[in-house]
Amino acid sequence: MRLFFCSDIHGSQVCFQKFLNAAKFYKVQVLILGGDITGKAIVPIVRDGNSYSADMLGLPQTAKGQEGLSALERRIADVGYYYYVADSRETEKLAADPPRLDRLFTELMIQRLQSWLDLASERLAGTGARCYIMPGNDDREEAIKLLDTSTYVINPDKRVVEVDSHHEMISLGYANITPWKCPRDVPEDTLMTMIDDMASKVKDVKNCIFNMHVPAFDSGIDVTTALDSDLKPIMSSSGPQQVSAGSTSVRSAIEKYQPLLALHGHIHESRGVAKIGRTMCLNPGSEYSEGILRGALVQLAETKVKSYLLVSG
Amino acid sequence: MSQKGTLFVRSTSGLARSVTTFDAFTFGFFMMGVGPIGAIVYGMGASIFPSGNIGLAVLISTIGAMFTTSVYAMLTAAMPRSGGDYTYVSRILHPSIGFAGNFNWALLNIFWVASDALLLVYFVGIACYGLAVVTGNTALMAAGTALSLDLNTIAAATVVTIIAAGLVAAAGIKWCTRIQVVGFAVSVLGLIVAIGFFGSTSNPDFIVKYDAVMGQNAYMNVIDAARNAGFVPGGGGNWLIPTLGIAAMACMATLYGMFSTFIGGEVKNAGSVRTQMKAMIGSTVFSGLSIAIVGFLVVYSVGQDYLGAVNYILYSDPASYPFLTAPYYNLLGAIASNNAWIALIFGISFLPIGVVWCIGCTLVATRCMFAWSFDRVVPSQIAYVDPRTRSPVVATLVVIVVATILGAVLVYNQALYYMLFGSIAGTLFSMVAVMIAGIIFPYRRKDIYDKSPSAQKVGGIPLVSILSLIALAFLGLFLYFYLGYPEIGFWAPLSVGLFVGVWVVGFAIYAVSYLVRRSQGIDLGMLFREIPPG
């Protein structure tokens, strides 16, 4: 059985489309999206008559007419942001009204996710490919509820699912506490309880896949930039200083249960492969803002990982 | 929930304040090694191209480097999370070229671990010797002599430095932040003292001061000895070609303002061309101007004939060579100052950069090996991380072993300068691949280019293509001197073997890996192939 795993696309429209097309492109039977699926920001597109302007990634963008506006919206969506068309007065009002801004975030988030779920049904139905999409620590409750309503996409979070006749998978999109206090950051002991609870229901844990958003602490695939108290990277002679930011509970669980395979995301810049005992741990990293879909192709035999390749699609 | 400029952001991971442009600038400044590399270029340049204008040459080299650096900045802004040239060359040209180029780059870094360790030993020797000449301290003289002339001592110190750098790189480098800050201050202090001393000491004054320490007519004796050995003071003939020759040699410093491409994604507003330009061009211009200014002043004070002559007899007539150590400007300044404090500042100003280079190059080389391993091009054992120490022991061991072998070759074959310049030619080849990638980027990866901030046009032609083409012309000019002037050292058998042969080896490794992985059901061609979004 061949699977494709990716994570942390953070609202990127083009990355999601590539994710769906990965089934055919890489000839895989199983698609897994390992969390952090929703976007981080709204780009206001300021309307002035038939002209539109926006500031995207520090670059001023302008558009004219409906066609220009559509192209601009597409560019914004591809980097993972949401767009909101309004005149300058409305934009200012929005900025001054955090509760309304929060509601708008949820609305745009739901809107895009719904369109993704529709697209998944449309493109994958009849292909035989199974599609698992898990929320991550960045994703809100409203998005999770919507995922659960899908008729095609399976939300595997906090569940045991049978990926094929030989392999079960347990999934957890929660993370240990991050400096940003994300919606689904929880203490380490809570994470451990959740993992133990799922693992106890697995028939053959040695042949199981652990789909855990956060990688194991000190695994080499959890390395990120060290931040000072002001969330500013600490520099060293070879660049920003690096630290491990993974979960000690995930590490303990992998050491304790020794599953066949562990799939992770969360730390975008820590693409790599690690071995913890017999368990192969993969983090394909993320480059969603460039429209590049980083992923892992894994070929599974009955009781072993036959081969793998980290790809940039 | 907050408003950031005209962007509304929510509380999510990853929205950290990033590395500042100044941090990236400092990083580039360090890797360009303003003082020490300048010293080598002035000396060797004056020796090989006596009629060249050193300051002007550095400025020309800096202008050329601004174009290459601009291309790196634009490619980094277009693919800021990509981790340097390996990925963007692989994506734009072909994975085999990306790998071979990066293999070359990794080996260059391992070579630089060896050469920098040796240079660091020499720098310590120069510091001791310079102070000894001024103060008459015999212990310092003995240390300076041992670290400059005794090959076994130099070899032992070089190996110890390589191993220490490897251990520090493997164990973590938190303390290096302090070294970088202190090192930056010491380096800048050294530059200020150099500008102050050489700027305020005319050539006649320098000769008087130099002779007062080194003996009557010592200054002219050096020029006479070099003339007798075949050196032509002033060079004769035109100055333009020799100036361009020195400009090519100055690439040793000027080209490396692009180094922050390897941390490009961590820079605040990484996807902005302006941000990347500020960091990379800022380093290039600041360092290039510093080297040019010090170069002008060293020539003004020390005199180009002497500078060329003393470097010439270093190898051609060692019996007439007046010092026990290499004739870098910090030694000449220390001696002529006849002042212990100035000699101390001159002496130590080169040391922090040497330390940072050794560790930094070890890290870059091990990171390259990790990337190959993750891409399944080399065995995964290369990226083995010791579970107890959490350090990449295999990759680090590879760096230490290869660097030690190269270090021994440099020490016992006295091949430092040949190989050093040969390594720059190796860099130029890697950069040629990047520039070719830059030229065709808008056409071959239109999908990435169109969405990137680098999608700027001049007269309907993509700016990145224009800059790449100009940069390629500069690189071609510089390569002409490396290939056309054997004195620079590229054609020394060791240089050719190491820095040309490595490309062949790089392609061969990729080809073998491709076939092996294919037999295992893995298509390495899939690594960077884009999935059509549809």
Side-chain angles (χ1 to χ4, degrees):
Chain A
M1 186 261 291
R2 182 184 285 190
L3 67 83
F4 176 76
F5 170 82
C6 67
S7 187
D8 301 79
I9 64 170
H10 289 285
S12 167
Q13 179 69 31
V14 68
C15 283
F16 186 76
Q17 288 173 213
K18 287 180 174 183
F19 168 68
L20 296 179
N21 289 357
K24 190 177 169 192
F25 189 75
Y26 295 124
K27 299 182 179 66
V28 301
Q29 292 81 48
V30 176
L31 293 171
I32 304 169
L33 209 170
D36 285 1
I37 53 179
T38 53
K40 296 177 180 222
I42 300 172
V43 176
I45 299 176
V46 180
R47 184 178 48 223
D48 182 9
N50 198 32
S51 299
Y52 302 89
S53 61
D55 191 313
M56 193 171 81
L57 304 171
L59 286 175
Q61 306 274 321
T62 54
K64 273 198 185 301
Q66 192 53 46
E67 202 177 316
L69 175 63
S70 299
L72 178 57
E73 288 174 345
R74 179 71 201 208
R75 283 204 298 277
I76 294 170
D78 281 351
V79 299
Y81 292 161
Y82 303 109
Y83 48 81
Y84 180 67
V85 184
D87 59 31
S88 55
R89 275 186 62 188
E90 197 183 340
T91 306
E92 282 164 20
K93 273 188 192 171
L94 193 59
D97 188 353
R100 190 178 152 216
L101 193 54
D102 193 59
R103 284 196 300 278
L104 180 65
F105 246 117
T106 305
E107 192 184 308
L108 295 173
M109 212 175 271
I110 294 300
Q111 199 179 314
R112 184 167 300 168
L113 187 56
Q114 182 62 61
S115 73
W116 284 7
L117 296 176
D118 295 342
L119 194 65
S121 305
E122 183 189 314
R123 288 201 182 170
L124 296 176
T127 63
R130 264 153 297 133
C131 180
Y132 299 95
I133 299 182
M134 176 175 76
N137 66 316
D138 266 355
D139 299 315
R140 291 180 172 187
E141 204 53 44
E142 296 86 343
I144 299 165
K145 280 181 186 159
L146 183 62
L147 274 178
D148 288 333
T149 64
S150 174
T151 51
Y152 192 86
V153 169
I154 301 161
N155 174 9
D157 195 29
K158 292 194 287 178
R159 292 168 56 191
V160 182
V161 295
E162 269 194 17
V163 178
D164 68 3
S165 52
H166 304 290
H167 305 96
E168 291 167 289
M169 177 169 80
I170 64 171
S171 304
L172 194 64
Y174 290 81
N176 48 331
I177 305 291
T178 67
W180 299 274
K181 310 283 185 293
C182 297
R184 303 213 305 161
D185 288 355
V186 295
E188 288 283 5
D189 54 350
T190 308
L191 278 182
M192 196 70 222
T193 306
M194 290 173 169
I195 299 170
D196 280 339
D197 182 49
M198 284 187 285
S200 66
K201 295 171 189 159
V202 173
K203 284 177 244 164
D204 180 8
V205 79
K206 297 280 179 215
N207 220 23
C208 184
I209 299 167
F210 276 23
N211 173 28
M212 309 272 155
H213 182 62
V214 60
F217 176 74
D218 213 7
S219 56
I221 55 173
D222 68 326
V223 180
T224 187
T225 305
L227 303 176
D228 62 18
S229 55
D230 199 24
L231 298 179
K232 184 181 181 293
I234 301 165
M235 284 296 285
S236 70
S237 59
S238 65
Q241 210 173 89
Q242 304 291 295
V243 289
S244 283
S247 158
T248 53
S249 300
V250 170
R251 183 171 193 99
S252 301
I254 291 173
E255 285 172 346
K256 180 176 165 187
Y257 297 111
Q258 287 288 280
L260 185 64
L261 176 68
L263 303 171
H264 308 284
H266 193 51
I267 314 276
H268 302 186
E269 60 275 37
S270 200
R271 169 182 173 270
V273 184
K275 272 271 200 180
I276 298 179
R278 70 181 286 272
T279 306
M280 175 167 288
C281 309
L282 301 174
N283 177 1
S286 173
E287 215 175 344
Y288 74 94
S289 58
E290 282 77 61
I292 291 161
L293 185 66
R294 288 198 163 187
L297 275 174
V298 184
Q299 186 84 38
L300 287 179
E302 261 183 44
T303 57
K304 67 173 185 179
V305 176
K306 198 174 170 192
S307 62
Y308 69 88
L309 188 65
L310 300 182
V311 290
S312 294
Chain B
M1 196 76 56
S2 63
Q3 187 187 6
K4 193 180 177 187
T6 50
L7 189 73
F8 298 121
V9 298
R10 68 188 178 101
S11 276
T12 60
S13 56
L15 287 174
R17 284 178 57 190
S18 306
V19 172
T20 63
T21 309
F22 181 72
D23 289 333
F25 158 82
T26 311
F27 187 56
F29 170 82
F30 247 110
M31 296 317 287
M32 290 173 74
V34 173
I37 295 299
I40 294 171
V41 171
Y42 309 149
M44 297 296 286
S47 165
I48 297 171
F49 299 105
S51 58
N53 184 321
I54 289 173
L56 182 62
V58 177
L59 288 178
I60 292 169
S61 188
T62 303
I63 291 167
M66 285 169 69
F67 285 101
T68 58
T69 303
S70 299
V71 176
Y72 275 95
M74 294 190 87
L75 291 174
T76 306
M79 293 175 250
R81 294 275 169 196
S82 300
D85 61 346
Y86 175 36
T87 312
Y88 44 74
V89 171
S90 293
R91 280 183 183 154
I92 298 169
L93 295 176
H94 190 272
S96 63
I97 301 172
F99 174 77
N102 192 255
F103 185 74
N104 177 47
W105 183 248
L107 199 86
L108 287 172
N109 272 277
I110 297 176
F111 167 77
W112 287 329
V113 173
S115 63
D116 296 343
L118 176 56
L119 277 172
L120 185 57
V121 172
Y122 284 159
F123 294 160
V124 175
I126 289 169
C128 293
Y129 176 69
L131 266 174
V133 170
V134 173
T135 62
N137 185 299
T138 51
L140 283 171
M141 181 60 81
T145 305
L147 292 171
S148 306
L149 295 179
D150 182 27
L151 295 187
N152 292 335
T153 303
I154 294 168
T158 302
V159 170
V160 167
T161 306
I162 290 168
I163 293 171
L167 292 176
V168 171
I173 49 161
K174 289 180 182 173
W175 60 272
C176 279
T177 308
R178 287 182 191 163
I179 286 187
Q180 180 160 313
V181 173
V182 174
F184 184 76
V186 172
S187 299
V188 171
L189 180 65
L191 281 177
I192 293 168
V193 168
I195 290 169
F197 179 77
F198 292 115
S200 64
T201 308
S202 66
N203 185 241
D205 284 348
F206 181 87
I207 295 171
V208 170
K209 289 178 176 178
Y210 176 90
D211 284 352
V213 176
M214 298 300 293
Q216 201 176 2
N217 284 332
Y219 183 93
M220 282 310 296
N221 288 344
V222 166
I223 297 175
D224 289 342
R227 189 181 282 118
N228 292 336
F231 178 70
V232 182
N238 76 64
W239 58 272
L240 180 61
I241 299 297
T243 299
L244 292 176
I246 299 173
M249 297 173 81
C251 287
M252 183 185 275
T254 56
L255 286 180
Y256 298 110
M258 44 55 77
F259 232 84
S260 64
T261 188
F262 297 104
I263 58 165
E266 307 302 328
V267 178
K268 193 175 182 180
N269 292 330
S272 157
V273 173
R274 189 177 294 177
T275 299
Q276 298 294 351
M277 286 278 189
K278 268 188 202 168
M280 294 189 197
I281 298 287
S283 297
T284 304
V285 171
F286 181 77
S287 303
L289 283 179
S290 301
I291 297 170
I293 290 168
V294 175
F296 272 121
L297 295 177
V298 166
V299 169
Y300 161 76
S301 180
V302 176
Q304 187 152 337
D305 288 347
Y306 172 87
L307 209 55
V310 76
N311 278 275
Y312 192 86
I313 59 173
L314 175 63
Y315 291 114
S316 60
D317 184 12
S320 303
Y321 183 69
F323 310 121
L324 298 178
T325 62
Y328 298 150
Y329 75 76
N330 64 337
L331 176 70
L332 302 177
I335 289 173
S337 74
N338 205 12
N339 177 300
W341 287 107
I342 293 178
L344 180 67
I345 294 170
F346 267 128
I348 64 171
S349 66
F350 283 15
L351 303 185
I353 285 180
V355 172
V356 170
W357 279 346
C358 288
I359 298 167
C361 290
T362 301
L363 282 164
V364 169
T366 53
R367 281 176 188 172
C368 288
M369 286 185 235
F370 262 62
W372 309 336
S373 173
F374 293 153
D375 287 349
R376 315 299 309 278
V377 181
V378 299
S380 53
Q381 285 81 355
I382 291 280
Y384 171 73
V385 175
D386 179 65
R388 194 172 52 82
T389 61
R390 299 282 157 218
S391 58
V393 286
V394 177
T396 307
L397 204 61
V398 169
V399 173
I400 289 174
V401 169
V402 178
T404 300
I405 293 167
L406 291 171
V409 170
L410 293 177
V411 172
Y412 289 106
N413 287 281
Q414 300 284 296
L416 176 66
Y417 296 109
Y418 282 134
M419 299 279 281
L420 213 47
F421 283 108
S423 74
I424 306 311
T427 307
L428 293 176
F429 283 119
S430 276
M431 289 190 170
V432 164
V434 174
M435 297 310 124
I436 292 170
I439 291 170
I440 63 173
F441 171 44
Y443 310 101
R444 196 167 163 96
R445 293 309 302 261
K446 202 170 180 311
D447 53 319
I448 302 175
Y449 172 77
D450 282 344
K451 281 181 286 196
S452 77
S454 305
Q456 299 167 33
K457 293 187 175 179
V458 176
I461 302 169
L463 180 60
V464 66
S465 301
I466 296 171
L467 292 172
S468 300
L469 207 58
I470 298 170
L472 199 59
F474 269 103
L475 292 178
L477 176 70
F478 295 150
L479 266 172
Y480 164 77
F481 284 95
Y482 282 96
L483 302 181
Y485 286 77
E487 306 93 302
I488 297 181
F490 178 71
W491 290 113
L494 281 170
S495 279
V496 175
L498 190 60
F499 302 115
V500 176
V502 73
W503 277 88
V504 178
V505 175
F507 279 115
I509 289 175
Y510 183 86
V512 169
S513 298
Y514 184 86
L515 294 173
V516 169
R517 294 303 180 200
R518 196 171 66 171
S519 72
Q520 296 170 342
I522 300 172
D523 180 2
L524 287 184
M526 283 288 184
L527 274 173
F528 298 107
R529 200 172 294 162
E530 197 199 4
I531 306 169

